[in-house]
Amino acid sequence: MSTPTPSTQEQKENKALLVALSVVVIASIVLAIIGFVFLNKPADIIEGQADATSVRISGKLPGRVMDIYVSEGDMVRAGDTLVHIHSSLAEAKLMQAEGMETVARTQDRKVDAGTRIQIINSARNLVTQAEAAVTIARKTYDRLQNLYDEGVVSEQKRDEAKAAYDAAVAGHNAAKSQLELAIAGAQKEDKESAAAMVNVAKGGVAEVQSVLEDQYLLAPCDGQIDQIYPEVSELVMLGAPIMSLLKTQDKWVTFNVREDLLKDMPLGGEIEVMIPALDKKKVKAKIYYSRDLGSYATWQATKATGQWDSKTFEIKARPLEDLPELRPGMTVVYFK
């Protein structure tokens, strides 16, 4: 019996290796065809995040933070007192404005009350004196006129008596005018001016009081205290934010979506989203907002491939059920 030569043995081994490789290649091709035909295409995943409205609490009173009545994470109701800010300067301004209002009201009452009775009586006495002076001057003039007619006195004496009489009449008229002014009191313009000054003073008080109203800042709505910026005893400026309030009832989810996927997320439509942090909870959400993010968020295509640029749109949707455990910043996933 003859034994195979080395060359014959090597040929057999090479042939067996080629057959094995052929089988592997054919099996790979078959598996690829089966996968392409029978396996489902993986769904497109659009990832977004939850958000909520944040309200900044600030006031128009610059001053020192005296008390902060809440802590970060506290739930508050609309109208709850959040912080006390003290301003000695504003309180001094209020005292000054109230003093000016008191002065203006006093002056107004004085004008409305008219002239004091003592001044009126004094003016009336002056009129009586003037009337007496007119009577005496008249009698003196009449006597001198008769004497002048008889040639007893000179014309000079008669003229002096006439001048004295005219002066007495003028003094009487002036006294009567003073009495009439005293009885009539202030002029209409003076009264209107005094009333206007009262209104100006009241406006000054109201202005300072409106500023001091913000020494106690209240919660404008229900929500949760998100962040507190200053510490007690720190100074805060006009309009500086003191804290931020999260409106936990006003939540939404935001997605940045390429425009060729917008057909599956129409405005006003409902989508199902999944929240990984809430044990992969699935909820329905309604799309209420869609906006182009601008040219800086454009997907640039390679023109040689026959494609085109696609812009990115910001999509917002509100969950259709209340999710107290949903927190801003949580990841939200939409499976296209």
Side-chain angles (χ1 to χ4, degrees):
M1 183 177 179
S2 63
T3 59
T5 64
S7 60
T8 304
Q9 182 67 27
E10 183 177 355
Q11 290 176 356
K12 290 182 179 180
E13 290 177 354
N14 289 337
K15 184 176 180 179
L17 181 59
L18 290 174
V19 172
L21 289 175
S22 300
V23 172
V24 170
V25 171
I26 293 173
S28 299
I29 294 174
V30 171
L31 289 176
I33 294 174
I34 293 175
F36 180 80
V37 174
F38 295 101
L39 294 181
N40 293 327
K41 181 182 178 181
D44 289 332
I45 297 177
I46 301 176
E47 185 175 311
Q49 72 174 25
D51 207 343
T53 299
S54 180
V55 180
R56 288 181 176 267
I57 309 298
S58 60
K60 51 184 176 289
L61 176 66
R64 191 176 300 277
V65 178
M66 300 301 294
D67 293 290
I68 297 177
Y69 303 109
V70 293
S71 301
E72 292 180 350
D74 287 352
M75 301 298 297
V76 297
R77 309 283 291 179
D80 288 350
T81 303
L82 304 178
V83 63
H84 174 209
I85 301 173
H86 174 71
S87 174
S88 56
L89 177 61
E91 292 182 354
K93 288 289 187 182
L94 178 61
M95 292 177 61
Q96 181 181 1
E98 289 176 341
M100 294 299 296
E101 182 183 12
T102 301
V103 171
R105 289 186 180 278
T106 302
Q107 187 65 28
D108 184 53
R109 286 195 298 268
K110 179 181 177 181
V111 171
D112 285 341
T115 309
R116 291 186 298 178
I117 188 63
Q118 293 88 344
I119 296 177
I120 295 175
N121 290 337
S122 177
R124 187 174 284 115
N125 291 334
L126 291 176
V127 171
T128 302
Q129 292 177 7
E131 289 175 349
V134 169
T135 300
I136 294 173
R138 178 66 184 178
K139 289 179 179 181
T140 301
Y141 170 68
D142 289 342
R143 282 196 301 268
L144 290 178
Q145 179 65 40
N146 292 332
L147 293 174
Y148 172 75
D149 292 340
E150 295 174 357
V152 176
V153 297
S154 64
E155 184 178 358
Q156 176 69 28
K157 292 292 184 180
R158 193 276 310 269
D159 290 342
E160 290 177 355
K162 180 64 168 62
Y165 170 68
D166 290 341
V169 172
H172 178 253
N173 292 334
K176 287 177 61 178
S177 298
Q178 291 297 321
L179 176 61
E180 290 172 357
L181 287 175
I183 295 175
Q187 296 181 1
K188 177 183 177 182
E189 291 79 6
D190 293 334
K191 293 182 178 181
E192 291 178 349
S193 176
M197 291 303 297
V198 172
N199 290 333
V200 171
K202 288 171 60 178
V205 173
E207 180 181 5
V208 180
Q209 286 178 338
S210 68
V211 174
L212 282 174
E213 284 178 356
D214 279 1
Q215 64 180 323
Y216 288 95
L217 296 180
L218 309 180
C221 58
D222 296 350
Q224 184 179 38
I225 301 300
D226 187 27
Q227 285 182 290
I228 299 176
Y229 306 112
E231 297 290 339
V232 174
S233 79
E234 289 186 1
L235 289 173
V236 293
M237 302 301 293
L238 173 69
I242 308 299
M243 60 185 67
S244 58
L245 176 65
L246 203 62
K247 296 176 68 174
T248 55
Q249 298 301 317
D250 187 16
K251 299 176 183 177
W252 66 88
V253 294
T254 303
F255 300 95
N256 292 331
V257 181
R258 202 171 62 240
E259 65 176 303
D260 57 332
L261 302 177
L262 288 178
K263 62 182 182 298
D264 298 314
M265 306 178 74
L267 191 64
E270 294 183 7
I271 58 176
E272 185 179 64
V273 299
M274 185 268 289
I275 307 171
L278 302 183
D279 198 20
K280 298 184 179 180
K281 181 180 179 64
K282 294 183 178 180
V283 296
K284 291 283 188 179
K286 184 174 183 179
I287 299 173
Y288 70 93
Y289 178 87
S290 177
R291 183 177 70 91
D292 171 24
L293 288 180
S295 58
Y296 69 90
T298 299
W299 298 73
Q300 303 291 336
T302 303
K303 304 301 182 182
T305 63
Q307 297 178 347
W308 53 86
D309 295 347
S310 295
K311 290 188 175 181
T312 300
F313 280 74
E314 182 181 44
I315 303 296
K316 294 182 180 181
R318 282 196 175 92
L320 296 181
E321 61 181 272
D322 187 25
L323 298 172
E325 63 276 17
L326 180 62
R327 307 299 301 166
M330 283 186 176
T331 299
V332 181
V333 179
Y334 167 60
F335 295 97
K336 177 177 172 296

